[in-house]
Amino acid sequence: MTSMSRARVARRIAAGAAYGGGGIGLAGAAAVGLVLAEVRLAKRQVGNGSAPHVPNAQGLYGLGYSVPGEPPLRLAMLGDSTAAGQGVHRGGQTPGALLASGLAAVAERPVELRNAALPGACSDDLDRQVVLALSDPARVPDICVIMIGANDVTHRMPPTRSVRHLSAAVRRLRTAGAEVVVGTCPDLGTIEPVQQPLRWLARRASRQLAAAQTIGAVEQGGRTVSLGDLLGPEFEANPRELFGPDNYHPSAEGYATAAMALLPTVCATLGLWPADEERPDVSRREGFLPVARAAAEAASEAGTEVAAAMPSGPKGPWALLKRRRRRLLAAERVDEPVGGPHGADSAEN
């Protein structure tokens, strides 16, 4: 499928989400049914990982940056098992902890992490999670990171419905004053037990949803980062390193790879990234595109950011496509948060 074709499909899904449609399929209903069966079989074959509960990472990071009278930045994680950190043993290995630690180092300010994500969640759980994230009007998050989509594909949720729920979540968070970064649907074709041709079908379905998620999120004022096949090359080279014991959820190293892709966008969204990196770099194939084109290109290249730009153009809203240089996190080891656990929900669906 060409970039233009992917853009048209993504635009149709996003339009269906906005206007109440629901009949557009991801890679065809029959194909997705096969992907669903294969992925569920794969999960049964490899089990549910060695860590039945998600380690609690909630708390305060970067305590050494505290300044009397200055409140910490507030970071909230929403989404599914990848946002929660399913598959690792320590709170400091979860993506939320890695992002909080990295953000604290860049901002030189403490970061308070709250996690509303739920392993096994589909996009229709985002409404509940947004309510949790905004439960205290005096402590609205400065930024929310949403990682969602894989379960939507494997549970055959209509993509228009999936994008509708995500768009509504982004809109509510932005209205409340929170910035939003969405890590779009990962590439299910990187899951080792899924074989060809179903691996190709899983990849196609994942990318279609990721592109449509980008359009929906950007049009509501969020930014997106394509997770795509971010772990693909590393997984093929060293699957035991990049994926956890279940070969389905990322390992600590895998989550660090994803966090390194998200961190520059999180920092840029809060105005903390170098100003010269906010300009498009032609040498990295960055620039302004119709939002559907930008979404389609981002879905096919992991680590690519899409943000709203000019309000409109001849083909609708425009967006800025960025391929930010990944920066190493402040430290490979992330300390456990200060303040102890706060009762994160970690029940696997």
Side-chain angles (χ1 to χ4, degrees):
M1 184 181 288
T2 67
S3 176
M4 291 297 292
S5 297
R6 289 194 297 269
R8 283 194 296 269
V9 171
R11 169 54 68 192
R12 279 168 41 219
I13 294 172
Y19 297 110
I24 301 172
L26 278 173
V32 174
L34 289 173
V35 171
L36 169 67
E38 183 78 3
V39 170
R40 285 184 172 171
L41 176 62
K43 291 179 76 174
R44 283 199 300 270
Q45 288 175 342
V46 299
N48 290 318
S50 60
H53 299 291
V54 176
N56 195 331
Q58 295 189 128
L60 196 64
Y61 292 79
L63 190 60
Y65 297 112
S66 296
V67 175
E70 183 177 347
L73 288 170
R74 299 187 185 97
L75 166 66
M77 299 293 296
L78 294 82
D80 56 23
S81 57
T82 55
Q86 178 79 19
V88 295
H89 298 283
R90 295 176 56 244
Q93 297 171 323
T94 64
L98 294 165
L99 287 171
S101 179
L103 178 57
V106 173
E108 297 186 343
R109 185 174 168 186
V111 174
E112 180 186 359
L113 172 65
R114 297 177 64 195
N115 199 327
L118 179 68
C122 293
S123 293
D124 57 5
D125 191 56
L126 287 175
D127 180 66
R128 182 192 64 82
Q129 296 183 28
V130 168
V131 170
L132 289 175
L134 301 179
S135 59
D136 185 350
R139 298 171 65 235
V140 171
D142 293 290
I143 187 161
C144 297
V145 174
I146 304 174
M147 301 168 71
I148 198 83
N151 296 318
D152 296 35
V153 175
T154 60
H155 288 76
R156 302 179 70 179
M157 176 180 287
T160 49
R161 183 181 169 203
S162 175
V163 174
R164 189 179 305 126
H165 284 295
L166 175 62
S167 299
V170 174
R171 181 169 59 251
R172 288 182 61 190
L173 292 167
R174 294 291 292 123
T175 300
E179 299 289 347
V180 181
V181 173
V182 177
T184 56
C185 181
D187 183 358
L188 296 181
T190 61
I191 300 172
E192 186 177 37
V194 178
Q195 302 300 317
Q196 296 289 13
L198 297 184
R199 181 173 293 200
W200 177 84
L201 293 171
R203 172 167 288 122
R204 183 182 175 194
S206 304
R207 288 185 177 182
Q208 284 183 4
L209 180 56
Q213 286 177 317
T214 294
I215 296 173
V218 168
E219 289 184 345
Q220 296 301 327
R223 299 194 192 196
T224 64
V225 177
S226 170
L227 298 183
D229 61 351
L230 186 67
L231 305 178
E234 296 95 334
F235 172 57
E236 291 175 359
N238 198 355
R240 296 298 175 259
E241 278 291 315
L242 266 294
F243 273 61
D246 60 2
N247 287 347
Y248 186 79
H249 295 102
S251 66
E253 291 80 5
Y255 280 130
T257 302
M260 281 190 288
L262 288 162
L263 180 61
T265 299
V266 168
C267 294
T269 302
L270 293 171
L272 300 171
W273 213 238
D276 59 349
E277 290 222 1
E278 295 308 294
R279 295 188 293 270
D281 186 337
V282 177
S283 69
R284 298 208 297 260
R285 295 176 294 117
E286 298 178 346
F288 298 98
L289 293 169
V291 66
R293 277 277 310 281
E297 290 201 17
S300 62
E301 184 173 344
T304 305
E305 174 191 319
V306 180
M310 294 167 276
S312 64
K315 296 183 180 180
W318 282 63
L320 173 60
L321 185 144
K322 293 280 294 177
R323 295 177 170 89
R324 296 187 184 275
R325 296 185 180 94
R326 294 183 206 160
R327 303 289 181 92
L328 290 175
L329 295 174
E332 291 184 7
R333 179 180 178 272
V334 177
D335 290 333
E336 297 299 325
V338 176
H342 297 285
D345 190 346
S346 61
E348 176 68 64
N349 283 9

